[in-house]
Structures are given as structure tokens and as C-alpha cells.
Amino acid sequence: MSGPRQLRFRSMVLAAAVAAVSAVVAPGGAAHAAPLGGRTPPVVDFDGDGHADLAVGAPGGTVGGGAGAGYVSVVYGAAGGLDAARHVSFSQNTAGVPGGAEAGDRFGAKVLPVDLNGDGYTDLLVGAPGEDVGTAVDAGMITVLWGGPTGLATATAVDTGAVPGLQTGRTLAAGDFDGDGTADIAYLTGVDVQVLSGVGTDGRPAHRGTIVTWYVMGTAGITTDDLAAGDVNGDGTSDLVVIGRGVEDADDGEAPLFLGGSHTEDAVGGLAYAENLRDAAGYWLEGQSVAIGDLNGDGYGDVVVGHTHEGYFTDSLLPSKGGAIGVAYGGPDGESRTVPPVWINQDSAGVPGVAESGDALGATVAVGDVNGDGYADVVAGAPGEDLSGVTDAGDLLLFKGAAGGLTGAGSQAFSQDTAGMPGVAEAHDRFAGTVAVLGATGTDRAQAAAGDPDENAGNGAVWVLHGAAAGLTATAPANFGAATMHTPVTGSAFAATLG
């Protein structure tokens, strides 16, 4: 991997503008503005009843005879946590949902909750990267399912433009990038990032722009893997972190930070390139998954990267065996100049288990205040973890935030063999292949969801653990799969994405 170097940023601006207020809903249904970055994420509440809900993507689901057409299920919350008896599912064959279910569309490959129209009810963005739009094969599609008093109901296709092979909707982020108090959408298309501002109820954006990564990197650019939005520099607008690998060098991982609220000539939808995030050794932070939240309570969003790749040059510079969690702390200029970055893996003090090749710690990460102490925690999957000789059984790890930042102290690990957890650890289940944090409400602590799309030969399932003062607890976790939703089961990859 290359050492520290100065990067330049230019971009093509097609514009910036207006979208919709992001909000959370307090118990009783009263909406109030929610920060788009900070200590805890907004509560996902599609029906405005004050209880956290969960969206689950099943992109492998067979719908109308089309294998891999895909669908999305939503489980609504109640006092005490999710109520699996209250659920609804959507596919492209559902009345009112744009398009039609076709083999390989992969509707539900990505789900992202956000209040897009500012009415106080969380809406749901759904990606279908395999969607053919007209003659544009695999152009991909983003659909908005609109929240309301009865939950998700009506739907609209987002006008992203149809370009063959872009697989639009495979990865999504949303935040107030232009500082107008409303939510915008960012999504990956190969080596570029598209930014949509002012998406109306007809799905048409007021403005759209393209961040061209080869301009940013000054080279051939990066093949993008993931992105996340949050307020890294504490200015009240959302920033964007993109992670990926060099087009010319797969050992050249990068995590460029784009600061929101910019009105410079190079800004795209309010986003302007600031820097490549770096670790304590001065090398670029890198990984395959990313999330943002305030781990040390200083008011700045911190960037959490899951690094699973092994056998790279950088492995000698960070504790990457079995995967690792990297943190770059936020500050007024972007990455903090006073709080050093950290790497943590299963060989770090206080972390359960032992780092072993192939554990894949950090394959997916999510951030939220699970134990209610005011500091965001990190929930991470290690789907390649072997348990008692069972290959790739997988487990879920919790790393706790604190005033001093993230360490291994007090970390927890959960698997299907943990006492109280439904099921049994089996070979190649890859438990916690996806994760999410359900925010705390007026009646309940935060919860952590662990998805296992490989459970039972690719049928998939979800486990939801309750938060407690000590962290997470395996006491009476919710557990459900496609059968509970009364949706197609075989090969559905239920829980391939959570939101």
C-alpha cells in the first residue's frame, strides 16, 4: 500500500438543493428533528407509534416464479421490543410498488430507513441492483416505501437515470449533505458516487451530481465497496465516507471523507472532498464496511471501518488477523488532530475469542448506544468465526464506547450457541453476516439485530438482542425468518440487509 500522500479533488457539479426533513418520532407520535450524525442514530419508526421498527431485505426470494426477484419484510415494534406478529412484506408484485418482480432483480439487496419527505414518519429506501430499466440491463433501481400512521404503504421509484450495468441501489446512504435541513441520497455506481437532492413525492430529484473518484484519487480511482453518512466535524450537516480499493491496486484500500455544507466550486450536492482518513501509523484507513457515530461523546461523529481482508501489505501494520475494527475519530476539521485512531481485533485486551484467519470480523458494522450510557457502541459481525470445531458458524461482537473512545474493555460476543439464543451453531451459517442497531425509545433500550442470510442453506433468519446497562443480553431475544413473515423461504437470503 502507498504511504501518506497529498490527494486532489475535482468534481462535476450538476447541482445541489432540497430534500426532506429527517425526524424521529417520540412516543405518542409527536415528531421532532433528529440529528443526522451524533451519539445515536434516529429511531426507525415507520408508523409513528414511538417504537423502533426493523426492515429486512430478502433479495434471493422467489416472487411470481422469478428466482432472485427479491422482497422486503418489515417488523413493527411494540413496548418491549419488536413484535414479529406485526409484519408486512413488499415485492415488486405488491400493488402500488413500481415495476414487476423478475428473476435476478434482487429487490431488497439494500434497505435504508430515512424520513425523505419530512412528515415525521420514517420512509424506506429499497435497492434492486439487478433491475432492468427499459433496455438498460442491470441498471438498478431505488424505490421509496413511504411511512405513515399505518406504517409503510405507498411507493415511488426514484428517478436515478437508467445506465446499463450500474446496479443502482446496491449501496445507499442518506443525510443532509447540503445543509438545508433536509435529507439527500447518495449511492454507489462502480467507481463513482451519485448524489440526489430534493427527491419529491414523485421520485424526481431537484438536483443530481456525480463524485468522480478518479478525480478525487488523482489516479484510476477506487472500486467502491460501502459508504456512510454522519456529522464527522460537528457542524450540523452530514458528511460522507466512502470506502473501496484502488482500481489499479487491490492492496490500496482508501476511505475518503467528504464534508457536507460546502458551497465551493468543487462541491457535489454540498459535499466536498476533505481528506483520506488515516490510522495512527499514517497509513490510509481501509476496510469493507463503514458506519458513523459518536463513540467518545465529544459531539463529533467517529468513523468505524470493518477490515476483513487478510494477506495485504497493510496486515503487518494493523491487527488484521481474522479481521479488525478501525476507528478514525471526528474533529472540527474532519478527522481529529488530537485523538489518535485505533485498531481493535480479537487479540486486543478484553475482546472475547482469539483472532484466527478467516473470522471476517468487521464484515458488517453498525453504531448506536446499546447500553444507554450516552456513548455510541459498535456492533460488528464475525461471520467466519469457527466455534468448537464448527466451521464458519459466526458470531456477533459488541465493542463499547466511552469517554476515552473505543477499546476492547467490556466487549461481548454472542452466537447461536450462547445460552438463551434460539438455534444451534452450524457449519457455514455465518451468523451475524449483517447487523443493525435499533435506537432506544421512550419505553425501550436500544436493540441489536444480527442477520444470518446463510442460515439453513441460504434461507436466512434474524435475531434481535435487547440492550442493557451491561451491554447486550441474550435473554428472550426475538428470532424470526421468512416463514414467520409468510413469504417465500427457500434460498431467500432473508436478512441479507437490515435497516
Side-chain angles (χ1 to χ4, degrees), residues 295-297 302 327 329 339 342 344 375-376 399-408:
L295 306 178
N296 60 0
D302 307 313
V327 179
Y329 292 95
V339 184
V342 296
I344 298 172
Y375 303 99
F399 302 93
K400 298 175 183 177
L406 199 71
T407 67

Side-chain angles (χ1 to χ4, degrees), residues 19 121 140 146 161-162 194 210 216 221 224 245 251 254 272 280 298 307 351 378 427 438 456-457 466 482 495:
Y121 298 95
W146 301 103
Q194 307 296 321
T210 303
V216 177
T224 48
R245 306 210 151 263
D251 196 10
E254 303 170 18
D298 63 357
H307 174 95
V351 179
V378 176
L438 288 69
N456 294 332
H466 295 280

Side-chain angles (χ1 to χ4, degrees), residues 34-47:
L36 292 172
R39 298 187 181 187
T40 56
V43 173
V44 174
D45 190 357
F46 301 119
D47 57 0

Side-chain angles (χ1 to χ4, degrees), residues 8 191-192 212-222:
R8 62 191 180 92
V191 298
D192 298 332
V212 183
T213 64
W214 69 265
Y215 280 145
V216 177
M217 312 334 297
T219 62
I222 59 175

Side-chain angles (χ1 to χ4, degrees), residues 59-70 102-106 491:
T62 297
V63 179
E102 301 167 314
D105 281 351
R106 301 184 67 237

Side-chain angles (χ1 to χ4, degrees), residues 180-210:
D180 67 354
T182 64
D184 312 308
I185 300 172
Y187 61 95
L188 300 176
T189 56
V191 298
D192 298 332
V193 180
Q194 307 296 321
V195 183
L196 304 181
S197 305
V199 178
T201 55
D202 61 355
R204 296 181 181 276
H207 302 279
R208 66 182 79 213
T210 303

